[in-house]
Amino acid sequence: MIHYHGLPITPETAAAQVLQAGHGFVSFAEPRNLGLVASVCQSFAVDNGAFSAWKSGQPVSDWSGFYAWAGDALLIPSCDFAVIPDVIDGDEAANDALLAEWPLPRWFGAPVWHMHEGLDRLERLAADWHRICIGSSGEYAVVGTAEWWRRISEAMAVVCDDQGRPGVRLHGLRMLNPAVFSRLPFASADSTNIGRNIGIDQAWRGTYTPPTKEARAAVMRARIEAHNAPATWESAPALLEPEQGTLL
């Protein structure tokens, strides 16, 4: 499984520690580390920034700027894919309209299936696209709750065969928590966990506390990348909510 570390990460020296010979996930909403990513990563993917725009209360209506930016990223050999624009908590018709609008090569685009959407839409996307991103939304917005696990189990039943093998590459949006991705047959997952946590001093205490943000970044990357996703979906894990402080 590819572990895509979400950006931006500051300072850039800490970003370099995370990205060197690794994998980055660059958002159109925060593209400042793109040059570094292109220079040092094994590979990277680009996100449309819809989640950030939605959280700010200013959802995007004109995606032409993203299409141009993603088209430039496509020309960088290490760029794997782009997340096709989506409407967070929107209806299926609105999201299908954005799929029809996608102007870049089909192999490069990854549509988002939002977990509050119908399973029939997931089945249709799995039949039509090379890769699908799974996004936590609606009543399943919090990753790792009992309700979330029940829903993701239903999704796996749709996209996996009777041996638990997914018929499409799956990417978990905001799912780079080992407690999550180590139980799901993902090709990749992302999270901004490192960027959000290396600067929270009170979270780093004890005798062997890493003294710098660069060291903290290295510790967190090693902790995350020590785990891998399984090749197949076997069964639903215990439906427990994540412990406080786990990676999300």
Side-chain angles (χ1 to χ4, degrees), residues 3-85:
H3 307 76
Y4 288 106
H5 298 290
L7 300 159
I9 295 174
T10 56
E12 194 161 85
T13 49
Q17 182 69 54
V18 173
L19 299 173
Q20 185 67 49
H23 308 275
F25 201 68
V26 186
S27 173
F28 181 57
E30 289 282 0
R32 72 186 81 162
N33 289 141
L34 180 59
L36 177 66
V37 165
S39 299
V40 305
C41 280
Q42 288 188 44
S43 72
F44 70 97
V46 294
D47 182 38
N48 57 52
F51 183 76
S52 298
W54 173 73
K55 287 192 69 176
S56 71
Q58 298 178 322
V60 179
S61 57
D62 179 5
W63 288 103
S64 57
F66 171 72
Y67 295 146
W69 181 75
D72 288 340
L74 169 62
L75 300 178
I76 301 172
S78 56
C79 189
D80 291 334
F81 69 92
V83 181
I84 295 175

Side-chain angles (χ1 to χ4, degrees), residues 1 44 99-100 146 151 160 195 207-208 233 238 247:
M1 191 196 90
F44 70 97
L99 297 187
R151 187 58 170 173
C160 297
T207 304
Y208 300 104
W233 167 251
L247 298 172

